[in-house]
Amino acid sequence: THLLCLCPQPDLVERLISVDISPVSTAPVSEFSAYISAMKSVKIPDGLPRSAARQLADDQLRPVVQVGNPWMVFLLPALVEVEGRHIWRVNLEAISHHLADIMNFPVFHKPYPGPTLFLGGSNSPYISSKDYPEIQRLFPKADVQYIEGAGHIVHQDKFEEFMTAVLNFLPPP
């Protein structure tokens, strides 16, 4: 969504809410590269029920993706059953080959003029005070807010607070 706002037609977006991500490269590529490698190495016998397959995948991913890591919420649902086999719904080869491009934010020179809310979790590192100058440069009408006690998956961790912040930012109907 950041990219759509910063493209040659920013008027396509009336308002922007960016949830726990900033317009700078924030996460080390090596961390996600390790996740992708771990996902590629998961071995699940054919014919297992989905719950058993996900538990087995969880057990095999744990050495790389520790308990409490918010990325596990995204990884396990990507495991799907197709004709009795469990496979990853995402294209791991494409992701691993283009991970640096995915994790990096391109350089833009023209800012997005509309109202913008950067809504982060107070327990997440993905919107940092060191990002504020770039946020202000690219999104001059930006407001940065944090939801206390939320991690990276803000809407899951603190749903009511998340909804309140979003509704307060949107114009009245």
Side-chain angles (χ1 to χ4, degrees):
T1 307
H2 290 140
L3 299 178
L4 180 61
C5 290
L6 296 168
C7 75
Q9 296 179 318
D11 56 325
L12 294 175
V13 178
E14 180 183 330
R15 291 172 176 259
L16 170 66
I17 300 174
S18 177
V19 180
D20 210 49
I21 194 74
S22 70
V24 296
S25 300
T26 55
V29 171
S30 60
E31 176 184 340
F32 291 96
S33 182
Y35 298 166
I36 299 300
S37 294
M39 291 170 75
K40 286 179 179 179
S41 69
V42 167
K43 303 284 186 255
I44 299 176
D46 293 350
L48 278 183
R50 182 171 50 174
S51 60
R54 285 192 175 171
Q55 183 59 55
L56 188 56
D58 182 68
D59 293 344
Q60 292 177 43
L61 291 171
R62 282 291 162 210
V64 176
V65 188
Q66 283 74 32
V67 173
N69 187 316
W71 287 104
M72 192 59 88
V73 173
F74 293 109
L75 300 182
L76 289 178
L79 185 67
V80 296
E81 182 182 351
V82 175
E83 297 176 4
R85 293 182 52 235
H86 294 278
I87 61 171
W88 295 106
R89 176 188 335 231
V90 295
N91 186 335
L92 295 176
E93 287 303 319
I95 291 171
S96 63
H97 282 84
H98 299 283
L99 194 56
D101 296 326
I102 293 168
M103 299 304 294
N104 291 321
F105 195 83
V107 175
F108 286 94
H109 301 289
K110 186 175 179 188
Y112 169 67
T116 305
L117 172 63
F118 282 83
L119 186 59
S122 67
N123 297 339
S124 173
Y126 292 108
I127 301 176
S128 164
S129 60
K130 69 179 175 30
D131 303 333
Y132 292 174
E134 187 67 356
I135 289 172
Q136 287 302 307
R137 184 182 77 79
L138 290 173
F139 302 93
K141 292 184 181 175
D143 180 23
V144 180
Q145 297 177 18
Y146 295 92
I147 294 182
E148 190 62 38
H152 180 59
I153 308 170
V154 181
H155 64 281
Q156 179 180 320
D157 294 348
K158 297 286 183 169
F159 179 76
E160 288 181 25
E161 294 89 338
F162 172 82
M163 290 304 300
T164 298
V166 168
L167 292 173
N168 286 340
F169 176 72
L170 296 175

